[in-house]
């Protein structure tokens, strides 16, 4: 089967590598986003997908706008590919492109469609406290993740997993599911199923305003925000921004989902006075673990934080190094417009 692969970030790399390793497939070329300037030296850096393509001596096309680039369109048409495979490419494909391959354009999307159409499905599924997610392969149409579904694979989301953790697992699921989908499509043993558009939800790009923490929200909501938008959420500490990169909600019903070292806090000797504390107040310093913060509903343990200009550090090191005390107040994360 002759394929052209469209993809850009690290999430797409396992899918490309798996297709390259399968004897049933020939990857003719790779389409990825133009190189971007990154890092302290502001140097042009290739996408992770381009790096893999170059290692395998594949043609790499990087049009600024694939649907408007006459040369790219001619190149794609000339491949006479059986399918275009799209994984987190980052551009909308025109109907002209969708119509080129014999089997169509096959996309692997990081959610159980029709939930979380859009750019950030993994992050928003965690933010909304979903305990399961997955990959859906679909036959692309001109809409935003609205095409007919082909296959799906599901995976649970653990309480302490971040979007990054889940993305690593979903990237592998994507690779497996794409191989199965392409083979079944070629053998005509899979039937596209239209999405129920009434059940659709949208997962937009994350904005800066999404990173600010508001201590009046419940502990579980803050925890999901922090791990969903990892590693960028922040609060205020002694007049400076404090990134908070790992937390744990304490109390029922979370104890059974926490690792043993955190379950030790579930003790009759734990006498933090929740009623008297204000949201954002440090109610205790859990020995060897970190500060415990009062929220609008429940307690949140700070497991890892990052002070301005510093490396991330454990909650315990932060409490000791900054001499955090019970009764101290953390402020909300205010996003400057």
């Amino acid at each position: 089967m002759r394929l052209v692969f469209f993809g850009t970030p690290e999430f797409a790399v396992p899918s490309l590598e798996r297709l390259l390793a399968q004897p049933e497939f020939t990857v003719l070329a790779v389409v990825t986003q133009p190189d971007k300037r990154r890092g302290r030296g502001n140097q042009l850096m290739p996408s992770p997908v381009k790096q893999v393509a170059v290692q395998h001596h594949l043609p790499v096309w990087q049009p600024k706008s694939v649907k408007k680039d006459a040369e790219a369109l001619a190149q794609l048409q000339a491949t006479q590919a059986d399918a275009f495979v799209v994984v987190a490419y980052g551009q909308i494909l025109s109907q002209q492109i969708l119509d080129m391959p014999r089997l169509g354009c096959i996309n692997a999307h990081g959610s159980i469609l029709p939930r979380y159409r859009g750019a950030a499905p993994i992050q928003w599924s965690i933010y909304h406290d979903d305990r399961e997610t997955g990959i859906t392969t679909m036959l692309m149409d001109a809409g935003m993740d609205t095409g007919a579904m082909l296959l799906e694979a599901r995976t649970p989301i653990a309480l302490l997993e971040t979007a990054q953790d889940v993305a690593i697992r979903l990237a592998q699921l994507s690779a497996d599911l794409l191989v199965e989908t392409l083979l079944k499509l070629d053998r005509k043993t899979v039937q596209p199923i239209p999405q129920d558009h009434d059940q659709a939800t949208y997962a937009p790009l994350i904005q800066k305003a999404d990173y600010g923490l508001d201590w009046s929200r419940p502990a579980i909501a803050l925890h999901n925000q922090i791990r969903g938008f990892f590693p960028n959420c922040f609060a205020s500490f002694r007049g400076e921004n404090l990134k908070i990169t790992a937390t744990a909600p304490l109390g029922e019903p979370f104890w059974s989902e926490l690792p043993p070292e955190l379950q030790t806090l579930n003790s009759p000797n734990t006498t933090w006075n929740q009623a008297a504390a204000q949201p954002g107040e440090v109610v205790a310093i859990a020995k060897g673990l970190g500060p415990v913060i009062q929220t609008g509903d429940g307690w949140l343990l700070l497991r890892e934080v990052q002070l301005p200009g510093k490396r991330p550090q454990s909650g315990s090191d932060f409490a000791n190094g900054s001499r955090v005390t019970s009764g101290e107040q953390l402020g909300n994360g205010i996003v400057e417009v």
Side-chain angles (χ1 to χ4, degrees):
M1 191 184 302
R2 294 161 57 85
L3 308 173
V4 174
F5 186 86
F6 292 68
T8 299
E10 189 66 37
F11 181 83
V13 165
S15 293
L16 174 57
E17 291 179 332
R18 187 70 55 83
L19 295 176
L20 288 167
Q22 293 290 129
E24 299 93 339
F25 306 128
T26 298
V27 179
L28 305 171
V30 166
V31 185
T32 189
Q33 293 276 51
D35 296 355
K36 290 188 176 180
R37 296 193 180 277
R38 293 187 177 90
R40 292 182 179 178
N42 201 31
Q43 294 181 325
L44 276 175
M45 298 292 291
S47 72
V49 162
K50 179 181 178 178
Q51 293 176 45
V52 173
V54 169
Q55 290 168 9
H56 288 268
H57 309 290
L58 294 171
V60 178
W61 304 329
Q62 297 178 271
K64 188 174 181 180
S65 174
V66 68
K67 61 185 179 181
K68 295 180 181 179
D69 190 305
E71 181 181 359
L73 291 170
Q75 289 171 319
L76 289 170
Q77 186 70 62
T79 64
Q80 296 185 321
D82 295 301
F84 293 165
V85 178
V86 184
V87 184
Y89 170 46
Q91 291 190 34
I92 300 293
L93 304 189
S94 64
Q95 191 64 51
Q96 180 184 1
I97 296 172
L98 297 175
D99 291 339
M100 287 181 185
R102 175 176 65 88
L103 296 172
C105 295
I106 314 306
N107 175 234
H109 183 71
S111 77
I112 302 299
L113 289 170
R115 287 177 63 79
Y116 303 116
R117 296 172 177 172
I122 301 169
Q123 293 91 331
W124 287 106
S125 67
I126 292 175
Y127 178 87
H128 290 300
D129 201 29
D130 290 358
R131 295 307 176 94
E132 184 182 56
T133 187
I135 294 289
T136 306
T137 53
M138 66 176 158
L139 198 57
M140 295 176 69
D141 62 17
M144 172 68 76
D145 303 324
T146 56
M149 300 177 293
L150 296 166
L151 298 176
E152 69 174 39
R154 296 175 180 244
T155 184
I157 302 174
L159 178 65
L160 298 186
E161 284 191 304
T162 67
Q164 189 176 80
D165 299 327
V166 176
I168 291 170
R169 192 161 66 253
L170 287 183
Q172 297 298 328
L173 273 182
S174 169
D176 295 337
L177 202 63
L178 275 170
V179 170
E180 182 182 356
T181 298
L182 289 165
L183 293 176
K184 287 186 173 181
L185 266 178
D186 197 41
R187 297 165 185 163
K188 297 182 171 60
T189 56
V190 63
Q191 186 66 35
I193 301 171
Q195 294 187 40
D196 181 353
H197 301 303
D198 292 337
Q199 299 299 314
T201 60
Y202 185 56
L205 281 170
I206 312 300
Q207 305 294 328
K208 284 185 178 180
D210 297 315
Y211 298 142
L213 299 174
D214 180 349
W215 295 111
S216 68
R217 301 180 72 220
I220 185 61
L222 291 163
H223 173 67
N224 291 336
Q225 181 182 359
I226 289 161
R227 66 196 185 106
F229 302 152
F230 175 88
N232 295 309
C233 291
F234 67 95
S236 171
F237 174 69
R238 297 176 184 170
E240 293 188 299
N241 286 343
L242 174 71
K243 271 193 177 181
I244 300 178
T245 50
T247 55
L250 304 180
E252 298 296 346
F254 310 114
W255 293 123
S256 62
E257 298 182 70
L258 296 176
E261 65 270 20
L262 299 187
Q263 291 187 19
T264 59
L265 296 174
N266 184 17
S267 163
N269 298 324
T270 300
T271 57
W272 309 324
N273 189 348
Q274 183 166 341
Q278 297 297 313
E281 184 177 332
V282 179
V283 296
I285 306 297
K287 188 175 180 181
L289 296 173
V292 178
I293 312 300
Q294 177 67 52
T295 72
D297 182 10
W299 298 311
L300 194 67
L301 172 68
L302 305 190
R303 298 169 52 231
E304 184 182 84
V305 304
Q306 185 174 2
L307 290 160
K310 305 290 185 181
R311 295 180 179 274
Q313 59 182 163
S314 70
S316 178
D317 287 346
F318 165 62
N320 292 333
S322 296
R323 299 186 178 181
V324 182
T325 59
S326 295
E328 190 161 4
Q329 189 77 27
L330 274 64
N332 292 338
I334 305 300
V335 179
E336 295 181 5
V337 179

